[in-house]
Each structure stands twice: as C-alpha cells, then as structure tokens.
Amino acid sequence: MCGIVGAVAQRDVSQILLEGLKRLEYRGYDSAGMALISAQTSEIDCIKATGKVQKLDESMRQRPFVGRIGIAHTRWATHGEPSERNAHPHISGADIALVHNGIIENYQQLREQLIKDGYRFESETDTEAVVHLIHQACKNDKLSLLDAVKATVKKLHGAYGLSIISRNEPDKIIVARSGSPLVIGVGIGENFIASDALALGQVTDRFIYLEEGDIAELTLTSIRIWDVNGKLVQRPITHITSEIAEVEKGEYGHFMLKEIHEQAVVIRNTLNGRISDTHVLEEAFGVKAKAIFNKVKQVQIVACGTSYHAGMITKYWLENIAKISSQIDIASDYRYRNIIVQPGTLFVTISQSGETADTLAALRYAKETKGYVGHLAICNVATSSLVRESDFCLLTNAGREIGVASTKAFTTQLVSLLLLTLVLARRTGMSDETEQKHVRDLNTLSALVTKTLELDKQIKVVSKSLMDKHHALFLGRGIQYPIAKEGALKLKEISYIHAEAYPAGELKHGPLALVDDKMPVIAVAPNDELLSKLKGNLAEVSARGGKLFVFADESAGFENDRSCKVINVPSVPEILAPIIYTIPLQLLSYHVAIFKGTDVDHPRNLAKSVTVE
C-alpha cells in the first residue's frame, strides 16, 4: 500500500522521486509528499498533497523545488484522516524528515512521553512519534543520524520501513526495515531506496533487498548495511530487468481489462516447466519439496481476500482429489485462536505480493509453533518477504499485476494450487492414469481461457442491466461457491454495488427473503453432479420474480426467458471449472464498473499490497 522512494545523487532528484511515486500508484494511496534538502537554502523543503500524485506534481511546478537528496511517499491512511498534515514526510525540529510504511503499535505511549518532553505534534499519525524520537536522540544524546535511528528502532513495536534524511548530515539517507519491504537501488555515483523495485526502473537495474531488521546508510558512493544483530553485512546485488520494465496498458482502457485478457498467457507461463505431457514435475517446488511432501497428512491454508477464495477452492481439490484433510483460515484471525497442529500438517500461505502483513504474521506465528512439517508459499513475487521466509515456494508467474482488483494473480494461484493438489494426490493413491488425465486437461487450459474471453462483448451487453442496481446476489454450489464469493468481491470492489455470495442451497434458509425484481441474482452453473440441485435453487428465484443471470455450461440445458439471461460458457473438464468460471465474473464486474464510471484500477479505500494489519 504505502510507497517509499528516496535518492542521493549529484543531480536534482525531485523528478526521479516524482516518477518513482507515479510508478507506485498501483499500490493504493490517499496522499503524497516529498522532502528535499534544498539546493538553494540547505534547509529541508517539504511539499505535500492529498489525492493523486498528479496534484503533488502540480504543486511542485508552482515553486522551485530542487535538491540532490530527498525522500518521497504515497500514504494509505491508518492513523488519522487523509489530509496534508497527516501526509508524509514528517519533520522534526526543521532538522530531520522521515517517511514510513507500516504501523507502530506503541506510538501512543511514545507520543505521550514526547509531549511531556516538549515535542509538539502536528499530525494524528503514528509516524510522527518516530521522527521526534530520532530528533531527540540526535539533539539530547548527541548521536549521529545513523546511531539515532539504531537507538530509536529498539523502542518501536510493530512494522516499519523507514527512510530518513537530516539537514545536519546532508550527504546520506538512513533506512530501516522490519516487517515492511525496502529495496536499495544501486547506481553509479548515486544510490536509491524504494519499497518496490518498480519505482526505480528508470534509474537502475541493480537492487539490494534488505532483510528483516536491516539498517542501511546510503551516500553517493557507498552502501553500508547492518543486520538485526548490529553486524556490518553484505547483501547480494540482484539484476532485474523484466520486473521493472515500463508497464503500459497497450490497447486496453484499463490495467484490469488488460490483465483479464493476459490470463491465457500467464496461465501457460505458470504451467511451463512444471508439467509434462503426462505428469506434474514436482521438482518445480524446489529441492526441499519432495522430503516435505512425503510427510504431509493434511494441509493448513492461510490467506486474505481473493487469495482466501483460492484457498477455499483448494480445500475442495485436496479433499476430493488428494483425499487429504484441509483447513482454511483468514490470515488476520489465524494467530488469534488456539491452533491445534495435527502431525504431518503442511502450512500453505497464498499472497499475490508476498508482503501482505496479516499473511506474513500468520507465517511467522506458524513457524514459532514448530508443529508443521514445512511452510509453502504460493506467491507472485520471487523477492518478497513471504517467499524468503518460507521453506519453499511455487511462484505463480502472473507478471506484475497493476489493477487493485486481482484477476490474473487469482487464476494463476489456482493453477499453482492445483499442481500442489496433484503432487500430494500421488502420495495418497491417485493412479498414473488419473494424473495423466488431469495433466492433459491442464494442457488445454490456456486455450479454454482464450475461448472463454471471447464472451467479452456478450457480457458487456448483459452488464448494462446491472449498472443501476444497488445490491446483487451471487450463487454457486460446491466448489463453485468460492467462485461466487470471488465474483461478489470483484463487483463490490470496483463498482461499489453491495454484493454477497451464498451457497445456492442456502437460499431457502434466509437469502430468499431478499429476492425481488430489483435484486439481480448471478449464478455459475457448470455441468457437474450438482447441476440439477442448482436448477432447483434457481427455480425458487424465478418463482419469486427475481432476475437471473446464469453463466452456464453450454450443455447444461438453460434457456433464455423473461426471468433468466443465460451466458453459455465453453464445456470444460470438471477439475478446471473453478478457473474458467471466474473469468466471466471478472468481465461482468469490469463492464458494470465502466458503465457506472468508477475508477476501475484504483477503487476507493483499497490498496493493492496490504502491508499493515
């Protein structure tokens, strides 16, 4: 969510920082700001704006704003309303400026003590307490900026990625990382800092990823890093080109639509090198995987949001295909209950970014219990904290997903989790013939996705019927219930229509009371063993005047009439149905949002990478 960019150079860095913030807009934010040590006055010059980075850009054009060292930030509000006074950077004593990602849990106690010590707070944020603590350490204890930061972080409880500059030491940036990612960009006679390598793609392709507890000092010509134990260490330099390539929408009006249409390609990328013509290549999970998989008797899945829906589907797969018991927990709740870890349990986390705070915290809690046979991450970012802290991982290869509402990341998660299911099913009696059939089906998946995307124009027409609605009900049975939940989530995320999902069999236990001619009911209907049951449930909707929109297998026998609009979906193997049926719901949500005129790629109040609890 929040984004950090910093630079120390022999040239003006203001436009470098501004471009970095623009590249981080996909993360979600409500205000932006920048602080430079002014080339004209040698003082800290700070400018902030609420809303988009463009407003910050406009403000910068109205007055000189030049410096060779600076830090910048996009903020997603956690403490205090979105406003200029709560926006970062925060400044203490006109001497020190700081930007911060994360949450300081003990900020209130720190704030109260600082007020007693004579500090005046200008904002409602937790961050301002940190910059005052650093200022206090420099002023009262006569510490250098580096030593002041080292002393201050020992007092902080919570998660933070910090970047700090001081007019008294105008040749360096100090950064600290605990629970919130930071990456150093390595230049020639200049160096950079950011919360995401994407922000620095215009200035470097060499990066150092800071580890948990690292503190670093950047100058024009040097980078020094101390680990959590205070030891001076060397971190490897990673060359990255593909991840930081300029992201363009191309022929598409929005990143979300582009990413929906990329799914055939990225699903193929996810499968490449991981399946043959006949079986899953479990070596793709890494060198530790085989030994761990051999011990697995059940699976614990933890995730948030869309990734949680992927976990729900995986539970069906694991129990139906692999005959393995599975538990699925929302990450934000997982570590707040008494976890009973059964022998032979594999712990699986799912996250697009690999920096989701709740999922990371759940992983760390799970590792503390020491009862799991291993910790597997299903993730889209190879350099993320989740991947680095797990025993092994399977990368989803979705490519960078810019739209806040997840699309291609979700379907590639499902593909990866299906591979996991098949690998485990080998160990529980799945025959070679059955595996070969499933793998043959997987080899057709990319083509089936392409065929399903051809429904786009038809779905666009249907979506006009939903644009003026205030509520919607999504229905599915069995493994399609999580897909209904994902469809409802997408509609509410980007069109702001209140949408809920229910197992279709639950209609008569309450939700049927909501059905009338103003409540659209959207159903997913593959031709599976539950189809006849679903038809009976949908008949209850029609009998009460409800308007049905059914995404149905072309052989399922649904017909269009006054109460039912049918969109025929290509016939697909049962194992692939959850992946295929999510795509029409993505398109439906997109087109409804377009007709309503909402900001599809940046829905209000939401962030792409949720790095706070």
Side-chain angles (χ1 to χ4, degrees), residues 379-394:
C379 185
N380 193 36
V381 181
T383 51
S384 66
S385 299
L386 195 71
V387 168
R388 294 200 306 271
E389 295 183 28
S390 297
D391 297 323
F392 62 128
C393 73
L394 189 68

Side-chain angles (χ1 to χ4, degrees), residues 302-318:
V302 172
C304 299
T306 285
S307 296
Y308 176 75
H309 297 155
M312 292 179 70
I313 292 162
T314 307
K315 177 178 171 66
Y316 281 91
W317 279 334
L318 286 169

Side-chain angles (χ1 to χ4, degrees), residues 266-335:
V266 298
I267 284 172
R268 172 48 57 191
N269 291 342
T270 300
L271 290 170
N272 281 342
R274 293 167 175 174
I275 59 173
S276 68
D277 292 337
T278 58
H279 66 283
V280 178
L281 306 173
E282 68 180 60
E283 293 81 1
F285 287 86
V287 294
K288 297 180 180 180
K290 184 175 182 179
I292 293 174
F293 288 152
N294 287 340
K295 301 175 185 177
V296 174
K297 300 185 185 310
Q298 56 187 349
V299 176
Q300 169 70 63
I301 303 170
V302 172
C304 299
T306 285
S307 296
Y308 176 75
H309 297 155
M312 292 179 70
I313 292 162
T314 307
K315 177 178 171 66
Y316 281 91
W317 279 334
L318 286 169
E319 295 180 350
N320 292 341
I321 299 171
K323 313 302 181 187
I324 290 177
S325 175
S326 174
Q327 301 294 322
I328 171 74
D329 276 271
I330 294 173
S332 56
D333 286 343
Y334 168 77
R335 67 190 193 280

Side-chain angles (χ1 to χ4, degrees), residues 34-295:
M34 185 184 302
L36 301 176
I37 297 178
S38 172
Q40 288 85 14
T41 67
S42 299
E43 303 291 328
I44 291 179
D45 198 356
C46 185
I47 189 167
K48 306 179 185 182
T50 56
K52 300 296 184 182
V53 172
Q54 180 61 34
K55 291 187 177 180
L56 180 67
D57 188 6
E58 292 168 358
S59 297
M60 290 170 61
R61 294 174 188 273
Q62 294 174 11
R63 64 179 178 88
F65 199 70
V66 177
R68 295 184 177 88
I69 184 169
I71 51 178
H73 191 265
T74 51
R75 175 180 185 258
W76 191 75
T78 58
H79 295 82
E81 65 182 3
S83 66
E84 285 192 20
R85 71 188 183 98
N86 286 329
H88 298 211
H90 290 289
I91 297 175
S92 183
D95 297 323
I96 296 172
L98 175 147
V99 293
H100 165 224
N101 286 356
I103 289 179
I104 306 302
E105 295 180 328
N106 62 330
Y107 85 99
Q108 192 62 47
Q109 300 95 299
L110 299 172
R111 182 185 182 105
E112 290 170 1
Q113 183 59 52
L114 285 162
I115 290 172
K116 290 179 182 178
D117 293 341
Y119 282 87
R120 178 180 175 183
F121 281 74
E122 303 293 338
S123 76
E124 304 165 273
T125 67
D126 53 340
T127 302
E128 193 177 358
V130 183
V131 71
H132 289 324
L133 281 173
I134 295 171
H135 180 270
Q136 187 178 58
C138 290
K139 180 181 178 182
N140 295 353
D141 300 330
K142 309 302 181 184
L143 297 180
S144 67
L145 182 61
L146 173 62
D147 288 337
V149 173
K150 288 181 176 180
T152 295
V153 296
K154 294 177 181 178
K155 301 177 182 179
L156 305 181
H157 301 159
Y160 54 81
L162 303 173
S163 185
I164 310 105
I165 57 174
S166 170
R167 71 183 180 100
N168 297 319
E169 299 181 49
D171 61 340
K172 66 190 62 171
I173 301 174
I174 307 298
V175 297
R177 181 249 162 103
S178 179
S180 190
L182 286 175
V183 59
I184 294 171
V186 182
I188 300 173
E190 56 188 13
N191 288 302
F192 311 92
I193 187 72
S195 51
D196 189 323
L198 177 67
L200 304 176
Q202 79 275 25
V203 289
T204 186
D205 62 357
R206 296 186 297 158
F207 298 92
I208 298 172
Y209 288 87
L210 295 181
E211 300 290 337
E212 272 297 287
D214 280 357
I215 294 175
E217 177 190 78
L218 284 68
T219 69
L220 288 172
T221 57
S222 68
I223 298 169
R224 294 195 297 167
I225 303 171
W226 293 263
D227 67 13
V228 68
N229 298 313
K231 180 182 177 182
L232 196 62
V233 295
Q234 294 286 332
R235 300 289 185 215
I237 295 177
T238 303
H239 289 257
I240 303 177
T241 55
S242 60
E243 286 189 11
I244 60 176
E246 187 69 37
V247 179
E248 299 288 350
K249 286 180 278 193
E251 64 185 273
Y252 299 98
H254 297 86
F255 282 111
M256 182 181 178
L257 185 61
K258 174 177 178 282
E259 289 157 6
I260 290 172
H261 281 270
E262 286 175 342
Q263 287 176 111
V265 172
V266 298
I267 284 172
R268 172 48 57 191
N269 291 342
T270 300
L271 290 170
N272 281 342
R274 293 167 175 174
I275 59 173
S276 68
D277 292 337
T278 58
H279 66 283
V280 178
L281 306 173
E282 68 180 60
E283 293 81 1
F285 287 86
V287 294
K288 297 180 180 180
K290 184 175 182 179
I292 293 174
F293 288 152
N294 287 340
K295 301 175 185 177

